[in-house]
Amino acid sequence: MAIAVGLAMSAAAQEFPQTFEHRFGTTVIDDQPERVVTLTYSGADHYLALGVVPVGLRHWYGDFPHSVWPWAQGALGDAEPFVLTEIDYEQIAALEPDVIEGIGSGLTQEQYDELSRIAPVVAAEAQYTDFSTPWAERARTVGRILGQEDGADRLVSDLEARITSIAAAHPEWNGMEAVIAFNVTYPGVYRSVDIRAQLLEQLGFSTPAAIDALGEEGDFNVEISEEDLTLLEADLLVWIIGAGSVERIEGLALRERLTAHQEGREVFADYLLSGAFSFATPLSLNYLLDRLEPLIEAAVDGDPGTPVETTMEAGLAP
């Protein structure tokens, strides 16, 4: 079993103790931790980006070694962190963590209380829902947990500069509306509180107000009816496949009637692209931007004849 690496060599650019305010109260980390367990579904990426391998990480989905996706495998190297398929108190205690991080884990009060008997726990901030903490906020929080605040700030600044540069290169995107949709067990759309929509907003796109008007305040996605897909009409329609299939999207009988479909304004996010969208970490977002920018360019250039590569490969083009 691997232990945390990189901490011993990193200069403690910040002082300890560090205090974290979150939805369950206040957590104090007295000393720079050496052994970290992350319960956030995409949590390992944030640590690997800073050269640290958690002793334990949470499996989300995807059949990849140690539950680490391809964009982060290079940072993982030969390390073998323990993979948790659920919040198992005995397994976590056996890892002897100095801190347990669960910003994007859906922790309950009961789970937080029980885990706090093992080690200090950092939970989601009170101002966000369980899974809506912005990627930059999560990255900076992990940096503070590790004693690498400066390193995390550099990661965030570099990525934000890249996003700003892409947006500046495409002023025509500013003011356009974008819908991010899926059809796994049911068809649905992501509201602007979701991390995927937040990224497109940084690129200039906005979520239609009609979508944000659906659901409860904390809902990051909402179900829509297969009999009425008019909510999907937008300047850009992005399909997230997730754990679903292309056939599920093809099976939406009214999709072909959408103007967004007929005018070639659909971007199909394949398995890796969907995963990178959903993970929303410094490592996954750099991979995402490499692939996403040309796809959006093709989809919203005003020419229905311009092929959108992933949409054509999936057989979803008009």
Side-chain angles (χ1 to χ4, degrees):
M1 182 183 302
I3 62 172
V5 298
L7 289 171
M9 296 183 291
S10 66
Q14 64 191 51
E15 295 182 355
F16 282 85
Q18 286 287 313
T19 301
F20 299 83
E21 304 291 341
H22 51 76
R23 64 177 49 198
F24 300 125
T26 302
T27 295
V28 177
I29 300 178
D30 291 323
D31 301 297
Q32 187 177 24
E34 295 183 356
R35 301 177 64 83
V36 180
V37 167
T38 175
L39 300 179
T40 291
Y41 285 105
S42 59
D45 277 19
H46 290 94
Y47 296 88
L48 293 172
L50 291 170
V52 174
V53 179
V55 293
L57 59 87
R58 182 89 170 268
H59 175 74
W60 188 1
Y61 74 103
D63 186 18
F64 299 106
H66 309 293
S67 201
V68 172
W69 283 56
W71 53 77
Q73 281 289 333
L76 178 67
D78 296 328
E80 298 180 350
F82 185 84
V83 178
L84 294 153
T85 56
E86 60 183 343
I87 297 178
D88 185 304
Y89 304 124
E90 290 186 3
Q91 288 180 333
I92 294 170
L95 295 172
E96 300 181 344
D98 299 316
V99 63
I100 300 168
E101 174 266 309
I103 300 170
S105 63
L107 282 180
T108 65
Q109 179 73 62
E110 180 182 358
Q111 289 171 325
Y112 172 80
D113 292 341
E114 191 68 26
L115 290 168
S116 295
R117 299 173 60 186
I118 300 172
V121 180
V122 179
E125 303 85 352
Q127 66 267 38
Y128 302 118
T129 63
D130 280 331
F131 305 108
S132 68
T133 302
W135 68 265
E137 186 80 12
R138 284 193 290 171
R140 288 192 171 104
T141 299
V142 168
R144 279 211 301 133
I145 289 172
L146 296 177
Q148 295 195 40
E149 188 172 16
D150 288 348
D153 282 342
R154 285 193 297 273
L155 280 175
V156 170
S157 296
D158 289 348
L159 186 48
E160 286 181 335
R162 183 180 183 191
I163 294 170
T164 299
S165 176
I166 292 173
H170 298 283
E172 71 277 11
W173 295 355
N174 189 35
M176 287 187 176
E177 289 189 331
V179 172
I180 307 177
F182 59 88
N183 187 23
V184 184
T185 55
Y186 57 84
V189 290
Y190 292 100
R191 300 172 74 238
S192 62
V193 70
D194 183 71
I195 53 179
R196 303 161 189 82
Q198 290 171 5
L199 175 66
L200 290 187
E201 182 179 351
Q202 288 182 284
L203 293 175
F205 296 91
S206 62
T207 300
I211 289 176
D212 273 346
L214 299 175
E216 302 297 327
E217 182 180 357
D219 292 339
F220 63 92
N221 69 50
V222 288
E223 184 176 354
I224 62 174
S225 170
E226 292 189 28
E227 306 304 319
D228 183 5
L229 300 183
T230 54
L231 279 172
L232 304 185
E233 291 287 18
D235 299 296
L236 173 67
L237 174 55
V238 179
W239 287 102
I240 298 289
I241 189 172
S245 66
V246 175
E247 289 73 25
R248 292 281 304 175
I249 299 172
E250 286 180 316
L252 293 170
L254 297 181
R255 185 183 68 89
E256 292 187 356
R257 298 186 187 180
L258 294 172
T259 305
H261 168 73
Q262 295 169 358
E263 296 185 354
R265 290 187 270 109
E266 291 176 296
V267 169
F268 172 69
D270 59 27
Y271 193 71
L272 286 180
L273 200 53
S274 291
F277 243 129
S278 301
F279 269 58
T281 66
L283 294 177
S284 80
L285 290 178
N286 272 303
Y287 169 85
L288 174 73
L289 292 171
D290 286 343
R291 297 188 58 199
L292 186 63
E293 182 181 6
L295 297 174
I296 294 178
E297 288 174 344
V300 302
D301 69 351
D303 181 1
T306 304
V308 181
E309 182 181 1
T310 54
T311 308
M312 288 190 64
E313 290 174 348
L316 296 175

